[in-house]
Amino acid sequence: MNTNLKFDQIHVGQTANLIEKFSTEDLDAFINLSGDNSSIHSSKDDAIKKGFNNRVIHGAMIVSKISKLIGTVLPGDSALLLSLEFDFQKPLYPEQLFEITSKVSEKHYSVNCISIKFKVSLKDDSTKIAKGSALVNINYD
Amino acid sequence: MTKQSILVKLTELFIDFFDDDLIRLNEKSTAGDIEDWDSLAQVGLILLIEKEFKFKFNASEVGNLENVGAMIDLIFIKQL
């Protein structure tokens, strides 16, 4: 069940984590959904020729899990995502377990918004995959 | 800053935020005068103004803003 945090139930420093993994089937499904079938995503041979170890997970797929974290955990159902910034640092491959850690970095009392910082890293060796931040409006009845 | 210089700065911020070089604010300007100035844009504008002028509003201050003139008055008071 999704959380549904109100603005006054959130504090600076509050954290939430997700552990996720994408399969090759997920990658194929996203290629079909997005239309981004560039060779590093769709061809293992081409990806290896370009210096990667396998087909590369789209950055937007990682961002989709950020969306999941915001919309279901922190703050949950009350979330309205207003902006998102992301830097991708290392490739993520199918079947790699990764962890998203998030922390509330600022509360904007004037407009019922929170800033959240994210880090995405491999679960097994903590390799940094991506980092970013979001501005989220807490919108509830 | 004087109220006139705050108006100039706000106009710069609005032009940048709405990506519209034709915006010309005056004290009577309201959300009705700028097509894209809706409630979500208001959130972004308030955060931009807080960042630019280096202070924070509270929710009641923001809720009472009727027009750009009221915004200028509030910024003028907050900077003192």
Side-chain angles (χ1 to χ4, degrees):
Chain A
M1 185 175 174
N2 295 358
T3 59
N4 187 20
L5 298 175
K6 297 183 185 308
F7 187 70
D8 59 8
Q9 293 176 308
I10 298 170
H11 60 84
V12 173
Q14 192 162 338
T15 60
N17 294 4
L18 277 183
I19 295 174
E20 296 284 347
K21 182 174 70 174
F22 289 115
S23 65
T24 302
E25 290 74 24
D26 293 329
L27 180 53
D28 289 334
F30 190 78
I31 287 171
N32 189 45
L33 174 71
S34 69
D36 180 0
N37 64 350
S38 69
S39 57
I40 62 167
H41 301 305
S42 58
S43 165
K44 183 174 181 177
D45 288 343
D46 285 350
I48 289 172
K49 284 178 189 171
K50 292 180 178 178
F52 299 102
N53 298 335
N54 198 345
R55 295 169 64 188
V56 177
I57 296 293
H58 298 71
M61 293 178 70
I62 299 172
V63 170
S64 75
K65 296 301 183 181
I66 301 294
S67 179
K68 175 185 175 183
L69 189 147
I70 291 171
T72 65
V73 184
L74 180 65
D77 249 33
S78 55
L80 179 63
L81 179 59
L82 296 182
S83 74
L84 192 60
E85 291 183 12
F86 246 81
D87 298 318
F88 299 100
Q89 299 160 296
K90 296 283 185 183
L92 178 69
Y93 302 116
E95 310 303 335
Q96 284 187 309
L97 208 57
F98 63 98
E99 182 170 25
I100 302 169
T101 60
S102 66
K103 181 185 284 189
V104 176
S105 58
E106 189 171 2
K107 288 183 75 173
H108 307 279
Y109 290 85
S110 56
V111 285
N112 262 32
C113 290
I114 57 173
S115 293
I116 306 175
K117 289 188 175 178
F118 301 94
K119 291 180 182 175
V120 181
S121 55
L122 292 184
K123 187 64 181 158
D124 61 352
D125 65 1
S126 299
T127 297
K128 294 174 183 173
I129 300 297
K131 62 178 180 178
S133 61
L135 177 67
V136 180
N137 181 235
I138 312 296
N139 189 343
Y140 49 81
D141 295 329
Chain B
M1 294 176 79
T2 64
K3 290 187 178 183
Q4 182 59 35
S5 58
I6 293 171
L7 175 61
V8 171
K9 176 53 73 177
L10 282 180
T11 302
E12 290 175 4
L13 293 177
F14 274 60
I15 286 172
D16 184 54
F17 183 83
F18 289 110
D19 194 22
D20 182 352
D21 292 338
L22 300 179
I23 289 176
R24 296 291 179 271
L25 295 180
N26 61 57
E27 292 188 348
K28 294 181 180 176
S29 299
T30 67
D33 298 317
I34 298 175
E35 184 179 357
D36 293 332
W37 190 355
D38 57 15
S39 59
L40 281 183
Q42 176 79 356
V43 171
L45 281 171
I46 293 298
L47 294 174
L48 190 63
I49 292 167
E50 287 182 338
K51 186 176 181 181
E52 177 65 30
F53 289 94
K54 298 182 174 59
F55 55 67
K56 299 280 189 182
F57 297 114
N58 62 49
S60 61
E61 288 172 334
V62 172
N64 291 331
L65 294 176
E66 293 180 352
N67 54 29
V68 168
M71 189 178 286
I72 291 170
D73 289 342
L74 179 59
I75 293 170
F76 184 76
I77 291 169
K78 298 280 283 186
Q79 70 173 358
L80 295 178

